[in-house]
Amino acid sequence: MKVLRNLIAIGLVFLVILSSGCSIKSTNENVPSSSNLTVKMLDVGQGDAFLIKTSQQVILLDTGDIDARDLLVNKLKAEGITKIDKLIITHPHADHLGGAMGVLMNFDVKSVYDNGQITTTSTYRKYIKKVTDSKIPYKQLLAGEHLEFGDGIKFIVYSPTKRMIDTEEDLNNNSIVGKLKYGDFSILFTGDSESAIEKELLNKYKDELKSTILKSPHHGSKTSSNNAYLKAISPECVLISVGAGNDYKHPHETTLNKYKKLNFKIYRTDFDGTVTITSDGHGYNVLKEKVQ
Ligand SMILES: [Zn+2]
């Protein structure tokens, strides 16, 4: 009887663990034994915000939209973040730059990087004034440069060039495109870059584009994700940061079908919530906040 009682007790404990822990689901693959890199595609609705953590630095790539500013700040605080070593803004559209003021006001931001494109929006003007007034080190990030995130983790920038920023007015196509590289593992971040840039990058960097994971360009818009570009990157997974039922109809069905045809695993914030990727530089693991 005692054995039976113990078995029932163990079963009950197991049930409690299951019911309290089932909001997180592991889905992968080559699970790393120790992880020095964590990348979170934060669920901030329609917009991009990626939190990148190494053992030495905290990096935030884009900041979501203006109306999700408090949500972003709360999510970062819930992660225990007080300091951000590098804030990177891919381009000054509101769904990437919108939360920057919230970040600058609530966290100790050590340095700021963007593509150097100046716009007339109040969101941009407030952001750049805050950076200047706070005397935070600022740098324009261009093709050919790279940033060090510690632990041998690098961010290699492919686009834009200085010429593009000086002559092209298209904000999306001037997005910072770069690869986060850690050993054999990599994520290609693409901002909202579209077909024209994809063709240029394919010509310029064909053999370098191959990445483990792709951040879907422009939230899965049909004006991005050329087939030849996707094949050169040839990722195992694609990350789409989108708001549920957004006005832009992102991600587009044509794009999703391309991803499916190429057997990319699709993770999207509107279905999966925040998506967390960890890697030790070889294997990686993906966790979804929501189970469908
Ligand atoms: Zn966008």
Side-chain angles (χ1 to χ4, degrees):
M1 274 308 280
K2 199 178 172 191
V3 172
L4 186 64
R5 267 207 312 274
N6 284 344
L7 277 175
I8 290 169
I10 290 165
L12 278 174
V13 168
F14 188 61
L15 267 179
V16 168
I17 290 169
L18 264 185
S19 58
S20 63
C22 67
S23 62
I24 305 284
K25 186 187 171 196
S26 174
T27 49
N28 229 331
E29 240 127 273
N30 313 311
V31 180
S33 52
S34 67
S35 301
N36 291 324
L37 173 67
T38 302
V39 178
K40 284 180 181 260
M41 173 167 69
L42 298 171
D43 180 13
V44 290
Q46 183 67 16
D48 276 3
F50 289 84
L51 177 66
I52 302 165
K53 290 194 279 188
T54 71
S55 70
Q56 294 172 41
Q57 296 185 27
V58 173
I59 301 102
L60 184 66
L61 183 93
D62 284 337
T63 60
D65 211 334
I66 302 163
D67 58 5
R69 181 183 295 180
D70 293 343
L71 181 69
L72 174 68
V73 167
N74 291 337
K75 282 186 188 263
L76 293 173
K77 284 183 177 170
E79 291 288 331
I81 304 293
T82 54
K83 167 186 75 114
I84 292 169
D85 297 279
K86 293 181 172 72
L87 171 63
I88 305 170
I89 307 292
T90 61
H91 66 297
H93 271 149
D95 59 325
H96 298 253
L97 176 66
M101 275 301 276
V103 171
L104 290 164
M105 288 192 300
N106 284 279
F107 303 95
D108 178 16
V109 178
K110 297 292 188 191
S111 57
V112 174
Y113 300 83
D114 67 25
N115 66 1
Q117 186 150 29
I118 295 161
T119 69
T120 54
T121 62
S122 69
T123 308
Y124 176 80
R125 281 187 279 118
K126 281 181 196 163
Y127 145 77
I128 207 71
K129 185 175 186 310
K130 177 75 179 159
V131 172
T132 310
D133 290 353
S134 308
K135 298 189 168 56
I136 300 170
Y138 162 86
K139 192 181 178 304
Q140 181 184 28
L141 203 52
L142 293 170
E145 297 175 329
H146 78 270
L147 299 177
E148 300 277 353
F149 292 168
D151 303 325
I153 299 165
K154 288 181 199 309
F155 183 66
I156 304 156
V157 183
Y158 298 134
S159 195
T161 59
K162 178 118 183 24
R163 178 198 55 77
M164 287 163 66
I165 295 300
D166 293 345
T167 60
E168 308 279 340
E169 285 177 4
D170 189 300
L171 295 190
N172 285 341
N173 277 339
N174 283 342
S175 290
I176 291 173
V177 177
K179 188 193 274 189
L180 177 71
K181 190 161 169 34
Y182 181 30
D184 304 328
F185 174 81
S186 56
I187 303 180
L188 187 69
F189 286 98
T190 54
D192 282 354
S193 54
E194 301 196 300
S195 288
I197 297 307
E198 294 179 352
K199 282 174 190 159
E200 275 192 38
L201 292 176
L202 200 52
N203 285 332
K204 227 169 143 182
Y205 296 105
K206 193 174 194 299
D207 297 332
E208 272 186 61
L209 293 175
K210 173 98 185 75
S211 302
T212 318
I213 294 178
L214 168 67
K215 199 293 287 187
S216 173
H218 199 183
H219 319 279
S221 155
K222 65 176 176 183
T223 48
S224 304
S225 293
N226 277 330
N227 261 320
Y229 186 61
L230 295 179
K231 281 179 185 164
I233 301 162
S234 185
E236 291 170 19
C237 312
V238 62
L239 306 174
I240 312 175
S241 189
V242 276
N246 66 81
D247 296 340
Y248 309 95
K249 296 195 168 33
H250 290 157
H252 198 275
E253 216 181 312
T254 317
T255 307
L256 286 176
N257 285 336
K258 281 185 193 173
Y259 294 164
K260 284 176 196 159
K261 219 170 157 189
L262 291 164
N263 289 321
F264 302 167
K265 271 188 194 164
I266 299 169
Y267 296 97
R268 43 191 289 184
T269 52
D270 56 345
F271 292 170
D272 303 324
T274 291
V275 176
T276 303
I277 298 134
T278 50
S279 176
D280 61 357
H282 302 290
Y284 68 99
N285 190 45
V286 183
L287 297 171
K288 302 197 285 187
E289 184 184 12
K290 293 179 190 166
V291 175
Q292 289 149 46

